[in-house]
């Protein structure tokens, strides 16, 4: 079912496929929290115009971190990655919008912050791959998977932003 602006766009005769509306799981990693970058990072997604559907400060378990990064379990850096992600609270977010997954990856920048373009979060705010301050889902399917992994039933909010008509014609 279409919800929010997508259904209104359809009512107005515009073609907005429900399938185009994606969700991305964005997470401020423990270094981003410790370095006081929470507001700065959230602000970039807010200003871009995506819709915040879920948000919490959370200390995750090793099991959850391992499940989240299961595709990397054979990498040599996997144990230190799990130590890093569980080393303090993270900020978990679900952001929604058309094209949000790929766009968030662009806003975040390359995995290695030294190679990330200026203007991106990692390009502006970090120097090392192992301390790259933020995570963003790499596909819409992983967006769904990660949001259901990190958020419980009822933790996401259905709401409409007054900005929407000023962001989407
Ligand atoms: P991204 O987070 O940009 O999608 P990956 O999925 O390849 O990147 O890796 C997940 C996370 O694992 C990275 O964000 C980073 O924190 C960590 N990581 C990746 N490669 C390395 C590495 N060579 N050394 C240490 N940590 C790494």
């Amino acid at each position: 079912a279409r919800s929010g602006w997508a259904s209104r766009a359809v009512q107005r005769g515009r073609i907005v496929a429900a399938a185009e509306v994606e969700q991305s799981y964005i997470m401020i990693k423990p270094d981003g929290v410790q370095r006081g970058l929470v507001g700065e990072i959230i602000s970039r997604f807010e200003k871009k115009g995506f819709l915040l559907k879920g948000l919490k400060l959370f200390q995750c378990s090793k099991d959850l971190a391992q499940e989240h990064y299961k595709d990397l379990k054979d990498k040599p850096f996997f144990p230190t990655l799990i130590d890093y992600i569980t080393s303090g609270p993270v900020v978990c977010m679900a952001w929604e919008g058309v094209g949000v997954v790929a766009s968030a990856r662009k806003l975040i920048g390359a995995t290695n912050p030294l190679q990330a373009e200026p203007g991106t979060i990692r390009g502006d705010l970090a120097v090392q791959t192992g301390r790259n301050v933020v995570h963003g889902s790499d596909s819409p399917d992983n967006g769904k998977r990660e949001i259901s992994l990190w958020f419980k039933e009822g933790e996401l909010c259905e709401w409409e932003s007054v900005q929407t008509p000023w962001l989407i014609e």
Side-chain angles (χ1 to χ4, degrees):
R2 293 168 200 275
S3 67
W5 66 267
S7 70
R8 279 196 309 282
V10 168
Q11 285 157 21
R12 292 200 304 271
R14 295 184 192 282
I15 301 161
V16 179
E20 288 176 49
V21 182
E22 304 167 349
Q23 292 187 343
S24 184
Y25 176 66
I26 305 293
M27 177 169 72
I28 304 172
K29 297 177 178 180
D31 50 333
V33 176
Q34 289 289 347
R35 292 178 53 212
L37 299 174
V38 170
E40 164 85 34
I41 293 171
I42 293 177
S43 184
R44 294 188 179 214
F45 294 95
E46 277 190 311
K47 287 177 190 164
K48 174 71 175 172
F50 293 123
L51 186 68
L52 183 62
K53 304 294 291 282
L55 171 69
K56 66 179 177 186
L57 185 70
F58 186 65
Q59 172 65 58
C60 85
S61 65
K62 274 204 182 326
D63 281 355
L64 179 56
Q66 283 168 350
E67 180 61 24
H68 174 79
Y69 281 122
K70 66 179 180 189
D71 291 350
L72 301 174
K73 68 175 189 309
D74 298 327
K75 301 280 185 192
F77 58 81
F78 187 72
T80 55
L81 173 59
I82 300 308
D83 287 346
Y84 164 44
I85 295 301
T86 57
S87 64
V90 295
V91 174
C92 310
M93 294 179 279
W95 287 92
E96 186 177 273
V98 172
V100 66
V101 170
S103 177
R105 300 273 297 180
K106 284 192 180 171
L107 292 174
I108 289 169
T111 305
N112 180 344
L114 291 182
Q115 272 144 35
E117 295 294 327
T120 64
I121 295 168
R122 289 169 176 166
D124 288 349
L125 305 174
V127 292
Q128 205 183 30
T129 303
R131 296 286 184 271
N132 61 5
V133 301
V134 65
H135 165 83
S137 306
D138 63 5
S139 69
D141 281 349
N142 268 337
K144 279 185 208 151
R145 178 183 82 87
E146 293 168 2
I147 287 168
S148 58
L149 199 58
W150 289 87
F151 287 98
K152 287 187 226 135
E153 191 85 21
E155 283 186 330
L156 302 185
C157 284
E158 274 311 318
W159 68 292
E160 292 183 27
S161 166
V162 294
Q163 289 190 15
T164 303
W166 301 100
L167 287 159
I168 295 161
E169 58 167 340

